[in-house]
Amino acid sequence: MTSLPNPGLARFNASEDSAALAALHEVCASSAWGSKLLAQRPYADTEALFQASDAAMAELTAEDLAEAMAGHPPIGRPRPGDPTSSREQSGMAGASEALKAEMLELNLAYQDKFGHVFLICATGRTGEQMRDAVRERIDNSPEQEREIVRTELGKINRIRLTRLVEQEEST
């Protein structure tokens, strides 16, 4: 069974390098990750794009991961005017003030310990689930946390890549 061609993926494959790189940067702030995906175009299908993303993510250095994480706002504080972070963190939108205050405190403690924001694939998670995750992960070693972050970034990238290749052509 053959799948129908994906017009969004075809558009991405055919776009100018600068436009494709800008789109990839919106998915993941790591320039190394974006460059690796750009270099492998064209992609036969979305799964090939996902595999390239996963492979590039696995190769990122600690510095590359730091660059990728710098593109993410803290949980509970999406960037104003950024529909992506607002959508991904929607589980915190209806959280109580007490939960939001607790998340802020936990975010700061996490950032003090690890030197970067607490990163989790927040899509579909409630505020309580995110709070429980930061509580659980704050006791990890930096090495353990770096690999968890790598996995979480990979999940986020797949969601964002899906949106990238499924969005309607802009007029």
Side-chain angles (χ1 to χ4, degrees):
M1 183 170 138
T2 59
S3 59
L4 296 172
N6 178 326
L9 181 61
R11 198 169 35 256
F12 172 73
N13 281 333
S15 63
E16 295 287 332
D17 284 357
S18 60
L21 199 53
L24 289 169
H25 186 75
E26 291 297 314
V27 171
C28 180
S30 165
S31 54
W33 177 88
S35 295
K36 288 176 185 186
L37 265 67
L38 184 69
Q40 295 180 51
R41 286 188 314 158
Y43 292 97
D45 55 30
T46 306
E47 188 54 38
L49 179 62
F50 287 164
Q51 288 174 2
S53 174
D54 293 347
M57 184 58 58
E59 295 173 7
L60 294 185
T61 65
E63 293 77 24
D64 296 330
L65 284 171
E67 182 183 28
M69 286 183 286
H72 291 268
I75 296 293
R77 295 190 321 223
R79 284 193 186 91
D82 178 4
T84 301
S85 64
S86 294
R87 179 180 53 254
E88 291 172 350
Q89 294 190 28
S90 64
M92 285 299 295
S96 69
E97 290 306 311
L99 179 57
K100 288 178 182 178
E102 185 179 5
M103 255 331 262
L104 176 59
E105 187 177 311
L106 288 167
N107 273 322
L108 292 172
Y110 180 96
Q111 199 161 344
D112 281 346
K113 178 173 181 180
F114 295 108
H116 57 78
V117 298
F118 171 71
L119 193 113
I120 189 167
C121 182
T123 300
R125 291 182 186 254
T126 65
E128 290 81 3
Q129 289 171 323
M130 290 183 268
R131 178 206 54 213
D132 293 348
V134 72
R135 281 179 177 168
E136 181 180 307
R137 288 173 46 192
I138 201 158
D139 292 328
N140 286 342
S141 70
E143 296 76 21
Q144 289 171 309
E145 197 54 25
R146 186 171 35 256
E147 292 313 306
I148 291 170
V149 164
R150 185 184 307 275
T151 299
E152 294 298 312
L153 276 168
K155 292 176 193 176
I156 294 166
N157 290 354
R158 279 179 171 244
I159 291 167
R160 290 180 175 184
L161 284 169
T162 299
R163 289 188 63 82
L164 173 68
V165 300
E166 290 182 353
Q167 56 185 221
E168 295 297 319
E169 188 168 8
S170 9
T171 55

